[in-house]
């Protein structure tokens, strides 16, 4: 058998992504949880739980747990690494910017993406976009429910499908 | 020359005892499938996803072309030549399916869109006779297609749904099944072969027990019909559902094969053209079985092309098909087991399972595994395989499934095994 898997795979599983999938950050419990939600990807059964601590309208800490593929795990780990310290409005724009990258848009530079850019290769694998988005839609739900005082829902990646 | 050399002794369908069946030459068979000549990501395509849908042989592709080029017309409603030809080709499909399944009466073959539609039709039309206190028995290894329609029935008609549990060996717990049966049991719904575990269920035995308490038996044949030499009568079922697209035929065509005397007692669930005899502004009478269940314009061309797939299966002989696939599954199980790191699901005895294997590498999520295999040109399926309750029972979020067909050979299995090792290396395992 020849060499091994050919190219675009390395675009998907960049070194940073593999590293975060092997040793996910943001697994430790938070001292206090303000917003939380559970998310589910019906395509593969993957599940994550996102918990957020908010202080002075700023994300003070994030915990992401669950069972997922390398892309989902790395995405959750990067989320937990990147968001602390960002104000809630910046968090919202980070979610939107990341979603844009997942749908193949070039980053505008307005939002500091940092290591999140390592996931930009996912855009070339449409089936895997949901894997990468799972922690993010779950975070969105957690924050929405918290801000509106509404009930906690189980987020689903299915809604990514209905987006333009 | 189609039909010239398949390396198969000429035998009629179902002839010859097992073990004495003709041998199938997968390399010769492969040449019949144009798509298998393509490359994927720079590698030879190794197609191991036949349980999701099979590839189509040249003869089927030609039949589709021929219909659209020469005989395209709507069926049943025209006197012109094309309409007559299209109708004859469409009805020939019904006859051909009846013959393939050794079903005595083509009136029992309803042409629908897929197995799912067929199962929903029985659930609705036969389910309409059920009410509170009645029980439906399904199994813990059903595809959602043979589960959700029954769940809908519990909501709509207050019917109770029970499930035959499965053993740790991946087989149905028949003792539990026998104890579950009672005069309240009205329907038993069971898959002839699991699309996740590969388990071949003892349907005839289960049907006999169900009939003793007066229940009707609905069999999901989506996986069994294309792979096992079992006719409709031998199955002992009252209804059998399957899809053409998993049997080397086109998408968009599926069948409900039923005992005509039961179909006669069913009301249609979908109204429109074709299914009526006489329509007034406020009332209508139904057409005969099976047309009563075929409202609207069917998938004419695809139905007309399906016999070409059944011709191929019979040319090979279903006994030879089964023998080939059983040997292949034995080889695959042995090779996968020898890797030492996989969790393998389903019965260990190849004689009790069909042509697929489901497994999990504890170090690598099935999605990632399938992705790397795709990079090597190997098509497998990763996920819950539309059997979430079964996944829960297995304690897995998802599995990787490699499924085989008449064109699969040991080289394909070897490629898979090499691919699994390459995947481990890729992720640094
Ligand atoms: C056992 C089983 N039943 C039913 C189905 C549904 O088939 P279809 O989607 O063609 O209706 C499948 C296919 O995935 C299957 O494997």
């Amino acid at each position: 058998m020849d060499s091994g898997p050919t190219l675009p795979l390395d675009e998907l599983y960049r070194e940073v992504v593999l590293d975060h999938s092997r040793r996910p950050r943001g697994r430790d419990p938070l001292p206090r949880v303000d917003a939380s939600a559970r998310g589910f990807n019906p395509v593969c059964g993957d599940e994550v739980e996102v918990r957020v601590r908010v202080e002075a309208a700023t994300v003070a800490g994030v915990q992401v747990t669950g069972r997922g593929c390398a892309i989902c795990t790395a995405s959750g780990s990067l989320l937990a690494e990147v968001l602390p310290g960002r104000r809630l409005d910046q968090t919202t724009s980070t979610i939107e910017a990341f979603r844009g990258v997942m749908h193949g848009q070039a980053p505008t530079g307005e939002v500091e993406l940092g290591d999140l850019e390592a996931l930009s290769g996912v855009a070339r694998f449409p089936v895997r976009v949901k894997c990468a988005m799972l922690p993010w839609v779950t975070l969105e739900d957690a924050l929405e429910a918290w801000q509106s005082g509404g009930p906690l829902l189980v987020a689903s990646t299915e809604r990514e499908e209905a987006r333009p | 020359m189609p039909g010239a050399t398949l390396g198969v002794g000429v035998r009629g369908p179902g002839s010859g005892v097992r073990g004495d069946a003709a041998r199938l030459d997968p390399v010769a068979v492969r040449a019949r499938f144009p798509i298998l000549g393509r490359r994927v990501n720079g590698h030879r395509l190794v197609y191991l996803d036949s349980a999701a849908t099979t590839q189509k042989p040249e003869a089927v592709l030609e039949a589709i072309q021929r219909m659209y080029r020469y005989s395209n017309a709507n069926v049943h409603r025209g006197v012109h030549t094309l309409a007559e030809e299209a109708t004859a080709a469409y009805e020939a499909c019904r006859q051909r399916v009846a013959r393939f399944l050794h079903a005595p009466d083509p009136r029992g073959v309803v042409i629908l869109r897929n197995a799912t539609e067929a199962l929903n039709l029985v659930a609705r039309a036969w389910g309409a006779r059920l009410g509170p206190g009645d029980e439906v028995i399904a199994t813990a290894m059903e595809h959602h297609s043979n589960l959700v329609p029954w769940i809908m029935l519990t909501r709509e008609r207050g019917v109770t749904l029970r499930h035959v549990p499965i053993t740790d060996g991946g087989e149905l717990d028949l003792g539990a099944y026998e104890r579950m049966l009672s005069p309240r049991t009205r329907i038993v719904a069971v898959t002839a072969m699991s699309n996740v575990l590969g388990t071949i269920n003892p349907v005839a035995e289960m049907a006999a027990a169900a009939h003793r308490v007066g229940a009707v038996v609905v069999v999901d044949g989506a996986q069994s019909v294309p792979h096992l030499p079992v006719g409709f009568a031998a199955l002992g079922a009252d209804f059998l559902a399957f899809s053409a697209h998993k049997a080397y035929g086109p998408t968009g065509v599926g069948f409900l094969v039923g005992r005509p005397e039961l179909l006669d007692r069913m009301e249609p669930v979908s109204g429109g053209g074709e299914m009526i005899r006489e329509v007034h502004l406020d009332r209508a009478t139904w057409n005969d079985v099976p047309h009563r269940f075929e409202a609207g314009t069917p998938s004419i061309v695809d139905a007309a092309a399906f016999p070409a797939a059944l011709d191929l299966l019979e040319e090979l002989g279903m006994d030879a098909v089964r023998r080939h696939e059983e040997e292949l599954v034995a080889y695959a199980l042995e090779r996968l087991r020898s890797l030492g790191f996989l969790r393998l699901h389903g019965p260990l005895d190849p004689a009790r399972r069909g042509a697929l294997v489901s497994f999990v590498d504890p170090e690598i999520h099935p999605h990632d595994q399938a992705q790397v295999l795709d990079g090597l040109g190997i098509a497998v399926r990763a996920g819950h395989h539309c059997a979430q309750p079964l996944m829960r029972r297995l304690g897995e979020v998802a599995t990787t499934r490699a499924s085989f067909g008449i064109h699969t050979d040991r080289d394909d299995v070897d490629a898979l095994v090499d691919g699994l090792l390459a995947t481990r290396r890729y992720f640094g395992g």
Side-chain angles (χ1 to χ4, degrees), chain B residues 333-344:
Chain B
L333 282 173
E334 176 197 306
R335 290 232 48 201
L336 292 171
R337 198 146 35 139
S338 72
L339 285 177
F341 55 77
L342 296 177
R343 285 198 295 273
L344 288 164

Side-chain angles (χ1 to χ4, degrees), chain B residues 51-52 113-117 119 141-146 191 193-196 220-223 242-246 253 385-386 401:
Chain B
R113 283 180 304 149
N114 48 45
T116 303
E117 190 180 21
L119 292 163
M141 64 167 82
E142 297 308 311
H143 186 280
H144 294 165
S145 294
N146 200 22
T191 184
M193 176 185 148
S194 162
N195 65 312
V196 177
D220 177 353
Q223 297 298 341
F242 74 103
S243 292
H245 75 91
K246 293 183 197 280
V253 189
H385 316 292
C386 295
R401 179 186 71 191

Side-chain angles (χ1 to χ4, degrees), chain A:
Chain A
M1 129 151 183
D2 32 348
S3 51
T6 43
L7 230 193
L9 266 192
D10 297 334
E11 271 297 294
L12 181 64
Y13 298 113
R14 293 195 196 151
E15 228 8 89
V16 176
V17 173
L18 287 178
D19 179 56
H20 277 265
S21 75
R22 287 187 195 116
R23 296 183 299 111
R25 335 293 199 250
R27 291 255 157 179
D28 299 334
L30 302 171
R32 192 189 84 216
V33 175
D34 296 295
S36 73
R38 242 160 42 80
F40 182 60
N41 181 352
V43 178
C44 56
D46 284 356
E47 263 183 39
V48 300
E49 240 174 283
V50 176
R51 298 183 188 81
V52 186
R53 196 174 131 228
V54 184
E55 268 167 24
T58 299
V59 173
V62 182
Q63 183 197 22
V64 182
T65 54
R67 318 202 262 183
C69 62
I71 299 302
C72 173
T73 305
S75 182
S77 170
L78 283 159
L79 179 156
E81 190 175 74
V82 163
L83 288 185
R86 297 201 181 192
R87 291 194 319 269
L88 289 179
D89 59 322
Q90 292 172 324
T91 299
T92 309
S93 20
T94 307
I95 296 172
E96 272 321 305
F98 182 70
R99 174 172 279 129
V101 171
M102 287 302 98
H103 293 277
Q105 294 155 20
T108 59
E110 277 164 44
V111 176
E112 180 63 44
L113 286 174
D115 274 354
L116 283 175
E117 289 207 39
L119 283 164
S120 61
V122 176
R124 292 179 59 190
F125 297 80
V127 187
R128 305 304 296 277
V129 169
K130 284 184 184 179
C131 309
M133 284 307 297
L134 179 59
W136 297 83
V137 299
T138 310
L139 170 70
E140 248 178 349
D141 270 23
L143 293 177
E144 259 168 44
W146 178 66
Q147 280 163 334
S148 67
L152 291 186
L153 303 171
V154 178
S156 166
T157 49
E158 287 301 275
R159 71 167 186 241
E160 284 303 301
E161 209 99 289
R163 284 178 184 271

